[in-house]
């Protein structure tokens, strides 16, 4: 199935809605049945049929089909956020007393669901440096049921060898779940490497327009039916039909957006790496990345996230740099059409030291590259760096 078929046609049945080219938003919470027998059949397969929109909805289903096809998955469930997709994936795989191994620096709310939420229910988690596969093996216990990965992560971009971790987990009956938000299905295919479940913050590149919060979880139909019966239906963190419709629209331009973003990102990366006031640039594609070989073998292309470590003596200089950016909007999140800057120091109190004893230096500023002309972004960065 070619990419444009998936994005332009798959899951869409235009004959059923007047030949309309854009699909309808089926804004209905419930679906009626002509007979008791038909209703009974609906209840037997809420995952695949239309009964109630907390389970399945025709507009959301179009999106499920497209995202599943992009990931090379049998099926996909859409959620109201990426955090919900990750949480549902985790919750479906563990019970009280079980043990999870997770990468050391996952997305903060992934850490929170494992440590804070599931910790209250007797699930324990060991966080390990995932750049060395041996660390996963060393952390396994008899109760390990799940390995949670994020490759690369979204701040310093450490990667895990997905095929090697899957090969470690599978024979032991341990499931694997990876957050693939950074790479998108276009640049990395974890299921093909043996991973069981792939989650996305679809808020980021998949939607790409900074107007929807959404999540996706992809995997085998059998595993997703488990997720559906469990956390999907019980927690009810669903994607509304209107948001699904916006996402279908955003998704149609994913390849062309990513192509443009990758090109610009490489130019910005080269500019920053050569700038005397930049100490280091973090990116899977940065020349200083010790995992460049894994980048080559596991990622098909660049995404638009990179993190700059500024050569500064205090947090005030970081603030001057960020306040001086005119074209990068300063905020959280990433993956949209517009370029963004996220200063790590903004989450710390004003008088925090530049180098905390443990944790990331406050001289880091994460950039998300959007669709602007490269020269516009580079000029903006040059001007802001001149204020250091
Ligand atoms: C944003 C993000 C999430 C959470 O997604 P939401 O859609 O904000 O809930 C999960 N993982 C990564 C890597 C993210 O960047």
């Amino acid at each position: 199935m070619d990419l444009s078929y998936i994005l332009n046609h798959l899951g869409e049945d235009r004959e059923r809605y007047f030949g309309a080219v854009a699909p309808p938003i089926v804004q209905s919470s419930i679906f009626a049945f002509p007979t008791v027998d038909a209703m009974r059949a609906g209840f037997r397969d809420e995952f695949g049929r239309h009964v109630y929109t907390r389970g399945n909805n025709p507009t959301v289903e179009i999106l499920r089909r497209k995202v599943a096809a992009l990931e090379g998955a049998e099926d996909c469930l859409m959620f109201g956020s990426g955090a919900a997709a990750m949480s549902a994936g985790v919750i479906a795989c563990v019970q009280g007393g079980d043990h999870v191994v997770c990468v050391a620096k996952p997305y903060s709310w992934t850490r929170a669901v494992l440590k804070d939420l599931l910790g209250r229910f007797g699930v324990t988690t060991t966080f390990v440096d995932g750049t060395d596969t041996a660390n996963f093996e060393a952390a396994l216990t008899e109760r390990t049921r799940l390995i949670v990965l994020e490759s690369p992560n979204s701040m310093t971009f450490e990667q895990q060898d997905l095929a090697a971790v899957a090969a470690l987990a599978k024979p032991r009956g341990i499931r694997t779940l990876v957050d693939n938000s950074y790479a998108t299905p276009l640049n990395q295919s974890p299921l093909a490497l043996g991973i069981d479940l792939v989650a996305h913050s679809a808020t980021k590149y998949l939607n790409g327009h900074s107007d929807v919060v959404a999540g996706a979880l992809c995997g085998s139909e059998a595993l997703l039916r488990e997720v559906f019966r469990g956390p999907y239906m019980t927690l009810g963190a669903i994607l509304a039909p209107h948001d699904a419709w916006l996402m279908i629209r955003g998704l149609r331009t994913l390849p062309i957006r990513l192509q443009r973003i990758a090109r610009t990102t490489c130019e910005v990366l080269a500019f920053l790496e050569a700038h005397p006031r930049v100490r280091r640039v973090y990116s899977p594609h940065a020349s200083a990345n010790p995992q460049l070989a894994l980048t080559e073998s596991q990622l098909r292309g660049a995404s638009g996230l990179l993190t700059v470590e500024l050569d500064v003596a205090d947090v005030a200089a970081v603030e001057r740099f960020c306040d001086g950016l005119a074209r990068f909007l300063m905020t959280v999140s990433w993956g949209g059409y517009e370029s963004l800057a996220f200063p790590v120091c903004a989450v710390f109190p004003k008088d925090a030291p530049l180098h905390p004893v443990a944790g990331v230096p406050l001289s880091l500023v994460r950039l998300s590259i959007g669709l602007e002309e490269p020269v516009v972004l580079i000029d903006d960065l040059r001007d802001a760096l001149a204020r250091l």
Side-chain angles (χ1 to χ4, degrees):
M1 218 183 312
D2 67 276
L3 202 50
S4 60
Y5 179 78
I6 295 171
L7 297 171
N8 297 357
H9 302 291
L10 182 71
E12 299 176 68
D13 189 354
R14 298 191 169 96
E15 280 179 26
R16 287 168 68 182
Y17 28 85
F18 317 107
V21 171
I25 305 172
V26 181
Q27 191 69 39
S28 184
S29 60
I30 46 180
F31 301 85
F33 300 94
T35 63
V36 172
D37 231 25
M39 189 165 178
R40 201 171 277 129
F43 281 145
R44 270 200 304 274
D45 184 19
E46 284 199 62
F47 178 83
R49 297 184 191 222
H50 303 120
V51 180
Y52 188 47
T53 285
R54 176 154 47 79
N56 196 13
N57 169 281
T59 308
V60 179
E61 197 175 346
I62 294 173
L63 187 56
R64 281 175 60 184
R65 299 272 309 275
K66 287 184 192 296
V67 175
L70 289 178
E71 270 299 355
E74 285 177 14
D75 216 321
C76 163
L77 285 170
M78 294 302 306
F79 292 83
S81 69
M86 277 301 285
S87 297
V90 169
I91 290 168
C93 294
V94 296
Q95 52 189 349
D98 284 350
H99 175 250
V100 178
V101 180
C102 179
V103 282
K105 291 192 279 175
Y107 181 69
S108 52
W109 297 102
T110 298
R111 171 180 289 273
V113 72
L114 288 165
K115 213 164 160 269
D116 305 336
L117 184 76
L118 292 177
R120 286 169 44 206
F121 300 98
V123 176
T124 54
T125 300
T126 307
F127 295 89
V128 300
D129 174 358
T131 58
D132 183 352
T133 305
N135 293 338
F136 290 102
E137 187 158 17
L140 298 180
T141 74
E142 271 172 25
R143 296 305 306 262
T144 307
R145 292 288 172 273
L146 176 67
I147 298 178
V148 177
L149 308 169
E150 186 177 319
S151 189
N153 72 15
S154 61
M155 184 58 79
T156 43
F157 312 105
E158 287 87 358
Q159 297 176 75
Q160 302 96 56
D161 184 333
L162 298 180
V165 177
L168 187 72
K170 211 150 234 143
R172 294 172 167 87
I174 298 168
R175 284 173 176 169
T176 45
L177 162 64
V178 65
D179 184 330
N180 201 28
S181 303
Y182 167 91
T184 83
L186 301 193
N187 282 334
Q188 182 165 264
S189 303
L191 297 174
L193 300 175
I195 298 293
D196 296 310
L197 285 168
V198 177
H200 286 279
S201 170
T203 313
K204 314 292 165 52
Y205 290 119
L206 297 189
N207 181 58
H209 290 72
S210 302
D211 51 12
V212 173
V213 175
L217 189 64
C218 300
S220 70
E221 186 186 330
L223 199 39
L224 286 187
R225 280 182 183 274
E226 256 182 64
V227 175
F228 183 83
R229 277 279 137 218
Y232 188 84
M233 283 300 272
T234 56
L235 300 178
I238 61 160
L239 188 66
H242 182 250
D243 283 349
W245 186 88
L246 284 167
M247 261 216 68
I248 292 165
R249 185 165 78 159
L251 197 62
R252 296 204 202 271
T253 55
L254 176 66
I256 199 158
R257 281 186 285 112
L258 274 182
Q259 215 171 60
R260 167 64 180 250
I261 285 169
R263 216 169 53 219
T264 308
T265 301
C266 291
E267 286 189 39
V268 172
L269 179 62
F271 165 76
L272 289 171
E273 285 187 328
H275 198 285
R277 299 309 303 272
V278 171
R279 192 167 288 152
R280 180 175 170 186
V281 187
Y282 292 85
S283 152
H285 305 272
S287 49
N289 180 12
Q291 291 187 293
L292 269 179
L294 190 56
T295 298
E296 284 297 312
S297 64
Q298 203 163 259
L299 287 174
R300 286 186 287 269
S303 303
L305 271 186
L306 43 88
T307 299
V308 195
E309 186 178 350
L310 297 169
D311 183 17
V312 291
D314 52 30
V315 173
V318 181
E319 293 184 18
R320 279 199 303 280
F321 168 78
C322 290
D323 295 352
L325 290 168
R327 300 301 289 264
F328 286 82
L329 302 176
M330 205 185 336
T331 183
V332 295
S333 195
W334 48 275
Y337 60 89
E338 76 293 12
S339 290
L340 305 175
F342 173 75
V344 166
C345 65
V347 295
F348 289 85
K350 193 153 180 64
D351 51 358
L354 191 60
H355 293 283
V357 184
V360 292
L362 272 58
S363 50
L364 296 188
V365 179
R366 186 183 67 192
L367 303 175
S368 174
I369 302 301
L371 299 175
E372 298 87 346
E373 294 293 331
V375 65
V376 167
L377 299 178
I378 289 171
D379 283 352
D380 198 24
L381 290 166
R382 187 185 292 111
D383 291 349
L385 283 164
R387 294 165 55 113
L388 286 185

